[in-house]
Amino acid sequence: MCSRAANEKLPLLGLIDPYDDTVFNCSQLRALIPELRALANDSAADEAEAVRGILALTAQVERQPHRYLVFNGD
């Protein structure tokens, strides 16, 4: 999913490091959420479901202070 995001020039999703942790704070989520929605709209059903799961996590991060969305690399 992230490699496809990089090919589609989605700047935040495309820079998720598969080998290290990538962390997004609440401010960065404002740019990340539209990228996730765009990716979900152009995805197969299983990938779109995964993106919807990530979007649900972003809602949790936005609701609580001092929270981060972390993608754990390898």
Side-chain angles (χ1 to χ4, degrees):
M1 177 173 63
C2 292
S3 61
R4 191 166 69 82
N7 290 337
E8 293 183 18
K9 308 270 190 283
L10 297 172
L12 293 177
L13 286 173
L15 293 176
I16 291 176
D17 188 342
Y19 304 106
D20 200 1
D21 295 346
T22 304
V23 180
F24 294 101
N25 63 33
C26 285
S27 297
Q28 293 166 319
L29 287 182
R30 290 185 199 115
L32 182 68
I33 290 170
E35 290 186 21
L36 287 165
R37 288 182 179 144
L39 195 62
N41 290 338
D42 295 333
S43 296
D46 58 338
E47 189 173 277
E49 183 178 338
V51 173
R52 284 191 296 275
I54 296 168
L55 283 166
L57 291 173
T58 65
Q60 290 181 15
V61 172
E62 288 182 312
R63 282 193 301 266
Q64 306 239 346
H66 310 293
R67 302 285 174 153
Y68 300 89
L69 179 65
V70 179
F71 291 87
N72 292 319
D74 190 348

